[in-house]
Structures are given as structure tokens and as C-alpha cells.
Amino acid sequence: MREYLLTLCVTAAVTYLLTGPVRKFAIVAGAMPEIRARDVHREPTPRLGGIAMFFGLCAGLLVADHLANLNEVFAKSNEPRALLSGAALIWLIGVLDDKFEIDALIKLGGQMIAAGVMVMQGLTILWLPIPSVGSVALTQWQGTLLTVALVVITINAVNFVDGLDGLAAGMVCIAAAAFFLYAYRVWVSYGIEAAAPATLFAAILMGMCLGFLPHNMHPARIFMGDSGSMLIGLVLAAGAISITGQVDPDALKLFAGSEKAAVHQTVPVYIPLLLPLTIIAIPAADLILAIVRRTWRGQSPFAADRGHLHHRLLEVGHSHSRAVLIMYFWSALIAFGALAYSVNSASMWIVLGVVFLSAIGLALLLLPRFTPRAPRWAEHFVPPRYRRRRAVVEEPVPTPAVEEESRTPVTARVAGVNGATALGARSRPLERRKAETSR
């Protein structure tokens, strides 16, 4: 565990320290696109944050290769090298997109090629645990197609959710934390060395996200861009592929009976990691809804719009920071709920806890719809947003005779405007007097 923590800290430190220089480089290179219709930020912000994250990945792998225990991962498995090769390719494509805005189909092709590079070096799904059947061995073509599909789905799910400051990095960090706990438990508790690469990938992924988050929290000073979002999506997919398709379910020996019983016992663990729809359930749901929405409108599935989940939270009335925290909450609930269920699927307390926290999450989602109002006597002690709206008193239109008799204008009391009510009410009578004088 100490070596994993050291690798995580080195990755986070390198990512954090390089993000500042990368920001200056992005400004000089002109990687500051104009604000688009779907964007929520108001000022042009540099991209290319994925450069710092990629070098953090390289630093984490380099440190792990020189540690006593983690060095065995590189000696007994080719998966770290496969991850580095695929990550370098997807990172280059992301950098080009952040600078030159390449076509969506070209990015999709690059994602498939990066997944194919990892498959060629051994990072692929070999078998699947299926309930009531057992471990089903896959052919080479089946494993390749399933691996490529998983990589492409995960990359685009993370890329689609990268719409608010700190959202993608925080959600992936939460998913990586839950993934690390599961992979570490499989390796240490059951002595399965095939889970070691996935544990290392999760620790490095947490370091990449934690090192970048201080620069990316609202208001963000730099965006990770496609070079960062596609990179962390690929690392997350690589960990899921490694532990799902490389670890034999029968090796866990949770059941002394048949292989079917063993697989059935481990289904709560493996199905969430087969297609990581629980550890990144929110991004995956956003991806599916976006494809359905755009196809229904006759648009391309890759056409950008403002219909993502985080955009809808802003439309409901949540602030930028509150929308990000709500997405964090749901991601943590789903990821760690699946983790707890995989440890003890027979516990009713886990189910009740998830249901209770889900009710809290729904209340947070609907919070802007039910804004509490303070009573009249307490309005001076609460912020203006909790005060009751006062009725608007319409100002009578003065006649010229009345204007001659009274020089004092009547002010209207309009709630919710600080300091502008008196000026707004006085401006119209003054303009009328000037008009009368000119006549």
C-alpha cells in the first residue's frame, strides 16, 4: 500500500506542477478557442491540460517500475506497456483536436486504433463470467471487438461529461478510488497477481485527476480538453479490461461448489466492471441520452448541444458549484454502492443505505424548486434569495399641473433590486420635465 500511495503522490505532484507551465504554453500556442453556444464559461480558457496529465501518467509508471514490489507488475505482465502505447496515441489525437478541432469521425477512428494497439500487446478480454453459465472463453475476434467497444464507450462517456469546471476529473477520480479498492482487495485478499496491473492503473489515474483538479475547479484556469478527457477515459477502460478479462473468476474460490456457483457468487462484482456502467454510470447515461436525443432530431450523434445532464442542472436553477457537487454525489453513490454490494451482496443494510442516500440525492436535485421563504419578521436576518417577493406598486402618471406643484417624484417599491429602484423611478419624471422645458 505504501508503494501505491507513493506512486499516486508522485503522479499527482508531477501533474500539478506541470499544469501551470502547460497553461502558459497553451496561451502562447493559441489553444484558447472562442466561447461556443454550448459552453457555460464566460471567458476564453486555455485547453491542453491533458499534456500535464500524460506526463503525470509517465512519471507514475516510471516510479512504479523502480519500486521493489510494483516492479513485478512490469516483469510479469506487458499490460503497463500496452497502456502507455495506447495512451500516447490517444493523447496525440487529443492534442491535435484541442489545437485544430479535427473531425469527430477521425477521433473515433483514432480511439479504435488506440484500443487495437493495446489489444495487440495483450491488454484484452479473454473470458466473461456469465450467470448460470460459468466462465465463457472468447475467441480472438470476440475479445478484440468487445475490448475496442469498451474502450470507445468509456472514452466518449468521459468526454461527453466534461462540460463543467472540475466535473470530469472529479467523477473519474471517484470512480478510480472505488475501482482501486476493489482491485486491491482482489489482489491482496485472494492473492491473485493478475489484478495487480489494474490496481496500479487505478492509483495512477487517481493521481492524474487529483493533481489536475486544483487548476480546474470553478472558476477553471485551464481545461483538460480532449487530450485529457480521452486519456483518463482510456486509462479507466484499461483497468476494467485488465481485471474483468484477465482474472479467472474460479480463482477467487468464493464457493466450494461448481464453477457456475462460483461465477454466480461473483456476478455482483464482475458485471459492474465488465462494462463500467456503475463506476461511470452518470457519464454513460449522459452518452446514451445524447445519442438518442440527437438521432431523434435528425442530427449527428457527435453534434454538440446543451442537453447534457450538467446543462439541465444549471437550467433547473443550481449554481455551477452545486451542479458539480451533485454529480459527484451520484457518482460516489453508484460507484461505492456497487463496491459495497460486491463485498457483501446479502446485507440488507447496504441496500437500505443506498436507498436512503438516493432519496437525499433526489431532494438535492429538486432543491431549487422548493426554495424556503423566511417569515416577515426574520427577513432582515436571511439572504435576499430567501425573502418573500413584495407586490409591485405601480406609479401613477403625473399630470403637468401636478408636476408644477410638486417637484418631488414618487418612487416605486420593487423587491429584489438593490439600489436601482430609486434611480429607475426618478428617471422618467425628470425626462418629462426636460421635454416640457424644451417646448
Side-chain angles (χ1 to χ4, degrees):
M1 180 60 75
R2 288 194 298 267
E3 293 186 355
Y4 281 122
L5 292 178
L6 177 60
T7 303
L8 188 153
C9 292
V10 170
T11 305
V14 172
T15 304
Y16 176 80
L17 295 175
L18 288 180
T19 303
V22 167
R23 180 179 181 273
K24 296 180 180 179
F25 170 75
I27 295 175
V28 174
M32 295 179 61
E34 298 180 355
I35 299 177
R36 299 162 296 186
R38 68 178 187 270
D39 293 332
V40 297
H41 58 282
R42 299 180 180 179
E43 297 180 359
T45 305
R47 295 182 180 179
L48 295 177
I51 296 179
M53 304 179 80
F54 176 74
F55 283 105
L57 169 67
C58 296
L61 291 175
L62 182 63
V63 169
D65 191 19
H66 289 80
L67 296 177
N69 295 323
L70 294 184
N71 183 39
E72 298 180 0
V73 178
F74 296 82
K76 298 180 179 180
S77 175
N78 197 43
E79 293 182 9
R81 300 176 185 85
L83 171 66
L84 184 60
S85 301
L89 180 58
I90 203 70
W91 172 72
L92 288 175
I93 296 174
V95 170
L96 293 176
D97 182 66
D98 289 340
K99 173 59 180 174
F100 301 107
E101 294 283 347
I102 62 178
D103 187 71
L105 293 179
I106 297 178
K107 288 194 295 183
L108 180 61
Q111 295 167 8
M112 299 175 67
I113 294 175
V117 169
M118 294 194 300
V119 170
M120 292 175 59
Q121 300 187 54
L123 187 56
T124 183
I125 298 177
L126 300 178
W127 51 67
L128 291 178
I130 300 179
S132 303
V133 177
S135 296
V136 177
L138 301 178
T139 63
Q140 182 178 0
W141 283 105
Q142 290 174 343
T144 300
L145 292 176
L146 187 58
T147 302
V148 172
L150 178 59
V151 171
V152 171
I153 290 174
T154 308
I155 288 176
N156 286 282
V158 176
N159 191 19
F160 275 35
V161 83
D162 184 25
L164 297 180
D165 298 348
L167 182 58
M171 293 181 65
V172 173
C173 184
I174 293 171
F179 189 86
F180 174 81
L181 293 176
Y182 165 72
Y184 185 80
R185 172 175 171 264
V186 172
W187 183 25
V188 176
S189 300
Y190 299 100
I192 300 177
E193 295 183 357
T199 312
L200 176 61
F201 297 166
I204 292 177
L205 182 58
M206 279 193 292
M208 295 165 61
C209 296
L210 290 175
F212 185 73
L213 267 176
H215 300 273
N216 191 232
M217 294 302 292
H218 184 69
R221 301 179 69 247
I222 185 173
F223 294 151
M224 67 172 65
D226 284 359
S227 59
S229 61
M230 293 196 299
L231 176 63
I232 60 178
L234 182 134
V235 177
L236 184 60
I241 292 169
S242 176
I243 203 167
T244 304
Q246 302 286 335
V247 176
D248 188 359
D250 194 42
L252 296 177
K253 297 180 180 179
L254 296 179
F255 239 57
S258 63
E259 182 183 4
K260 294 182 181 180
V263 173
H264 183 73
Q265 182 72 11
T266 58
V267 163
V269 179
Y270 280 94
I271 292 301
L273 298 177
L274 176 61
L275 293 175
L277 297 179
T278 56
I279 52 180
I280 54 167
I282 303 299
D286 194 14
L287 171 64
I288 296 173
L289 292 175
I291 293 176
V292 173
R293 180 178 63 251
R294 295 166 184 174
T295 306
W296 184 264
R297 295 175 180 175
Q299 300 176 344
S300 170
F302 303 99
D305 58 11
R306 288 183 59 90
H308 293 290
L309 297 178
H310 48 272
H311 290 139
R312 295 182 182 274
L313 287 176
L314 296 178
E315 292 176 358
V316 168
H318 293 285
S319 64
H320 190 292
S321 301
R322 186 189 293 174
V324 172
L325 292 177
I326 289 176
M327 298 285 279
Y328 285 177
F329 174 84
W330 281 103
S331 298
L333 176 61
I334 296 174
F336 287 97
L339 176 65
Y341 185 69
S342 68
V343 175
N344 187 3
S345 59
S347 177
M348 184 59 63
W349 290 105
I350 295 176
V351 178
L352 294 177
V354 172
V355 172
F356 176 73
L357 292 176
S358 300
I360 294 178
L362 291 176
L364 293 176
L365 287 175
L366 300 176
L367 188 61
R369 301 291 187 183
F370 304 98
T371 304
R373 299 298 179 187
R376 298 286 186 184
W377 57 270
E379 288 185 351
H380 297 286
F381 305 99
V382 297
R385 63 178 178 273
Y386 297 119
R387 300 173 186 173
R388 299 178 183 273
R389 294 183 178 273
R390 300 186 180 185
V392 179
V393 179
E394 295 186 0
E395 176 189 2
V397 180
T399 60
V402 175
E403 284 187 356
E404 294 295 334
E405 295 176 358
S406 175
R407 296 290 182 178
T408 305
V410 181
T411 60
R413 299 178 62 187
V414 182
V417 183
N418 297 327
T421 303
L423 295 176
R426 289 193 179 102
S427 60
R428 287 191 293 269
L430 288 176
E431 292 175 357
R432 292 193 185 97
R433 282 199 294 271
K434 291 180 180 179
E436 293 290 338
T437 305
S438 61
R439 291 177 185 175

